Amino acid sequence: MSSSHIKRLMMPRSWPLPRKSNIWVQKPDPCGHSMDKCMPMAIILRDVIGIAHSRREAKKILQTRNVCVDGQIETGAGRGVGLMDVLTVGDQHFRGVLDKNGKLRYNEISAKAAGSKTCRVSGKTTIKGGITQLHLHDGRNLLFDENPEYKSGDSVVISLPDQKITAHHKFEEGATAYLIGGSHIGEVATVRSHEIKRSSKANEVQFDEFGTISDYAFIIGDAKDIPLEVKA
């Protein structure tokens, strides 16, 4: 079997697929998401959303050029679609989220919600010419002539598909956080304090009833931004 596949027993725990139905499962093509935060397009269409009944049918759907990710037409069966990505199939729109069991779900959203996406700032660097490059959680990079106010851990809302920043959510007391790791994964909570460690230890964030490391907190504007419930 080629390197484009892995054994199902070794696939990420976040994939909502049976482990013993087949030996192999396709890996997502390299993208900005880690493998445990995304799934290949064909598997999503066939096994998660259920629009296709087979991999062959999923490929035919992709060939119609009616499938988009973040507003861009996608035809690759292995294209990784991950956390907070917007998947559009015809007139239907879905957003990738992690549920309270830590499983990736692609829940239906409105056409209005599909016009934007919240991205976590993972860092920023200065490149040649004094240009500031902002790194986002999905592998996206945005360039600025001047050093913007955005900091690691903050989130920005970008419009799709033109990638213009329309809102900024700071990682601060009172911010709304969506948990993407730990024992409270999939929950939405309000930040009460944010402690930055001056050592190799992970930064910590405290909520009303629990605390966790900062890497697990994905700042959002409102709990409604996360479609945790599947539409009937």
Side-chain angles (χ1 to χ4, degrees):
M1 184 62 62
S2 70
S3 60
S4 63
H5 288 69
I6 56 173
K7 287 189 174 182
R8 279 188 177 244
L9 290 174
M10 301 298 292
M11 71 183 180
R13 292 179 180 273
S14 58
W15 292 17
L17 304 175
R19 290 184 178 271
K20 297 182 179 181
S21 58
N22 293 292
I23 296 177
W24 301 97
V25 66
Q26 182 181 7
K27 289 197 303 185
D29 292 340
C31 63
H33 296 283
S34 60
M35 195 163 73
D36 65 330
K37 294 293 191 296
C38 72
M39 293 180 69
M41 178 78 78
I43 291 179
I44 296 170
L45 296 179
R46 183 189 65 190
D47 299 323
V48 183
I49 299 176
I51 291 175
H53 295 96
S54 65
R55 177 178 168 81
R56 183 177 181 182
E57 189 175 327
K59 284 186 173 183
K60 286 185 177 180
I61 292 172
L62 289 165
Q63 288 169 3
T64 65
R65 300 179 67 82
N66 286 323
V67 179
C68 299
V69 176
D70 292 346
Q72 301 285 344
I73 294 173
E74 295 290 346
T75 58
R79 205 287 192 189
V81 184
L83 183 65
M84 302 303 283
D85 285 354
V86 176
L87 171 62
T88 300
V89 185
D91 295 328
Q92 290 181 284
H93 307 279
F94 307 87
R95 190 180 302 282
V97 295
L98 289 163
D99 68 14
K100 293 183 179 180
N101 292 317
K103 301 294 185 182
L104 277 166
R105 304 294 179 186
Y106 297 84
N107 295 343
E108 194 165 355
I109 57 175
S110 66
K112 181 180 179 181
S116 64
K117 171 183 178 180
T118 304
C119 294
R120 189 174 193 267
V121 178
S122 58
K124 62 181 179 180
T125 54
T126 301
I127 59 177
K128 187 177 180 180
I131 303 296
T132 299
Q133 185 169 261
L134 197 69
H135 310 293
L136 305 182
H137 81 281
D138 59 355
R140 199 181 305 262
N141 293 313
L142 301 180
L143 301 178
F144 299 86
D145 291 332
E146 297 180 357
N147 188 7
E149 60 178 324
Y150 315 123
K151 297 180 180 179
S152 294
D154 290 359
S155 291
V156 294
V157 179
I158 60 173
S159 57
L160 300 174
D162 55 6
Q163 304 189 69
K164 302 295 184 183
I165 294 179
T166 59
H168 173 208
H169 305 308
K170 294 182 179 180
F171 194 163
E172 61 185 6
E173 183 179 349
T176 302
Y178 168 53
L179 281 300
I180 58 172
S183 58
H184 293 271
I185 192 169
E187 296 182 18
V188 175
T190 301
V191 175
R192 293 309 177 199
S193 66
H194 179 208
E195 183 180 355
I196 298 176
K197 303 285 188 178
R198 301 299 179 184
S199 67
S200 59
K201 292 184 178 180
N203 295 335
E204 296 179 0
V205 56
Q206 294 293 327
F207 302 98
D208 286 329
E209 299 179 356
F210 63 94
T212 188
I213 63 173
S214 298
D215 286 348
Y216 291 162
F218 192 119
I219 304 302
I220 57 176
D222 189 272
K224 295 178 182 178
D225 294 342
I226 308 296
L228 291 177
E229 300 298 327
V230 179
K231 287 188 176 182

